[in-house]
Amino acid sequence: MDESREEMTKPPFDFKAYMFEKINSVNQALDIAVPLKEPIKIHEAMRYSLLSEGKRVCPILCIACCELVGGNESVAMPAACAMEMVHAMCLMIDDLPCMDNDDFRRGKPSNHKVFGESMTVLAGCSLLALAFEHISTATKGVSPTNILRVISELSRLIGAEGAAAGQVADLNSGGKSEIGLEQVEYIHLRKTAAFAEAAAVSGAILGGASEEEINKLRKYSKYTGLLFQVVDDILDVTKSSQELGKTAGKDLIDDKATYPKLIGIKKSRDLAEKLLKEAQDQLEGFDPGKAAPLKALVDFVAHRQK
């Protein structure tokens, strides 16, 4: 049987089973990484947001990119957990009254509504610190040089030139009619795509990827991250709060610059399809079997309903 016929007889990739397996692995690792211990209250607050039901897109992206280039899940797991710690911290801070002032996250009250603003800030800072500690102490079988490179990538992409810069621009954009597409893309490349980029590049580095492979996965993750935000903007105006598990229509109420606001729903959906194709194109040249999770992941991001 030739190679093309073998490909035709292979069963289709079961993305649902893959996600279920990886989410369980990540959740177990997170539970172990942040045990409930003294001081009890701060660890309760950390675990409340960290272990809440989430898509775990960034941790799975980190693991999938590591496996794509020849690494394994155990090598990537500490960095994958660190990505979720940083992500949880950002969501906790974003929901505070001084930021986006949102009372719900992932279908339940935001962290500050349960633990108070002061504890949320302390728990968020603790998760951020723990993320870097966890990468540096729990990653095994990787050179110190590559571990430092991962720490550097994550630091840069969440700092004052990355996610923080995106949040500043986002806060400044509310109610300003002159905000355009370029500014909106600036915000989302830093607020959302930066996390996907950090996850993908970190996984690739830990898996021993070449510079060419890292660059391809950097582009793939940027397109995927931007796609996630475009879809998020669309869902915010087309779904209910119950369907989303968070406050729907909040961007409209806050008069934020979003893709639907600037270009309409149809063009926003067209942009999502364009970003989907551009992300998929970056996976050309990789082993199709190993790339299947990443192809399915970006498709999931494009067509998710919450």
Side-chain angles (χ1 to χ4, degrees):
M1 183 181 293
D2 60 36
E3 191 172 322
S4 61
R5 288 185 64 189
E6 280 186 19
E7 285 294 323
M8 291 175 64
T9 57
K10 282 183 181 178
F13 178 71
D14 191 341
F15 182 64
K16 189 174 181 180
Y18 175 87
M19 288 291 284
F20 181 79
E21 177 192 340
K22 294 302 185 189
I23 287 172
N24 279 343
S25 294
V26 169
N27 286 343
Q28 288 174 21
L30 288 171
D31 186 40
I32 294 169
V34 188
L36 187 58
K37 59 183 181 181
E38 293 291 344
I40 295 295
K41 186 60 69 174
I42 193 170
H43 285 92
E44 283 180 339
M46 291 164 70
R47 287 172 60 86
Y48 179 83
S49 291
L50 185 66
L51 300 179
S52 64
E53 184 179 345
K55 302 173 188 70
R56 307 295 189 227
V57 171
C58 283
I60 292 172
L61 182 56
C62 181
I63 293 168
C65 285
C66 182
E67 292 178 332
L68 174 67
V69 297
N72 58 60
E73 180 180 294
S74 62
V75 168
M77 188 58 79
C81 288
M83 301 298 158
E84 195 65 17
M85 292 174 192
V86 174
H87 186 224
M89 177 275 296
C90 287
L91 297 182
M92 292 160 71
I93 301 301
D94 276 357
D95 289 340
L96 287 171
C98 63
M99 291 288 186
D100 290 347
N101 192 25
D102 214 326
D103 293 345
F104 293 94
R105 174 68 66 176
R106 291 174 173 172
K108 61 182 187 178
S110 299
N111 196 286
H112 69 274
K113 300 302 290 186
V114 178
F115 297 95
E117 293 175 39
S118 297
M119 190 58 65
T120 293
V121 171
L122 291 171
C125 289
S126 297
L127 281 173
L128 179 61
L130 180 59
F132 293 103
E133 178 188 346
H134 196 59
I135 292 173
S136 61
T137 60
T139 305
K140 306 299 180 185
V142 179
S143 71
T145 299
N146 279 349
I147 292 176
L148 282 173
R149 189 174 176 186
V150 167
I151 290 173
S152 177
E153 281 284 339
L154 183 56
S155 301
R156 179 176 62 83
L157 289 166
I158 65 172
E161 295 180 8
Q167 180 67 358
V168 169
D170 194 15
L171 288 171
N172 289 338
S173 72
K176 293 185 179 179
S177 58
E178 71 273 15
I179 297 295
L181 276 176
E182 186 176 337
Q183 182 73 349
V184 170
E185 186 171 290
Y186 175 94
I187 292 168
H188 296 319
L189 278 173
R190 285 155 183 80
K191 276 195 70 174
T192 307
F195 284 100
E197 182 181 347
V201 171
S202 295
I205 291 169
L206 293 169
S210 67
E211 290 305 314
E212 181 184 359
E213 290 172 330
I214 289 172
N215 287 334
K216 279 188 172 185
L217 292 173
R218 190 183 294 280
K219 290 178 183 176
Y220 163 87
S221 58
K222 281 185 178 180
Y223 293 136
T224 302
L226 196 54
L227 171 63
F228 188 96
Q229 188 59 55
V230 173
V231 172
D232 216 50
D233 284 358
I234 293 169
L235 293 176
D236 187 67
V237 296
T238 59
K239 297 290 183 179
S240 68
S241 297
Q242 185 175 3
E243 289 172 312
L244 294 178
K246 61 180 182 179
T247 308
K250 188 99 178 23
D251 292 338
L252 188 63
I253 294 168
D254 293 341
D255 200 23
K256 281 191 175 181
T258 64
Y259 287 98
K261 178 182 175 182
L262 293 172
I263 62 176
I265 296 289
K266 183 183 183 304
K267 286 187 177 179
S268 295
R269 285 178 171 146
D270 291 342
L271 176 59
E273 286 299 316
K274 179 175 179 287
L275 289 167
L276 171 61
K277 185 181 185 307
E278 288 174 333
Q280 291 171 333
D281 287 346
Q282 298 306 314
L283 299 176
E284 294 298 324
F286 288 104
D287 177 86
K290 291 182 177 180
L294 290 173
K295 287 183 178 178
L297 180 61
V298 71
D299 190 67
F300 162 76
V301 168
H303 300 110
R304 65 194 178 92
Q305 295 300 309
K306 66 178 182 177

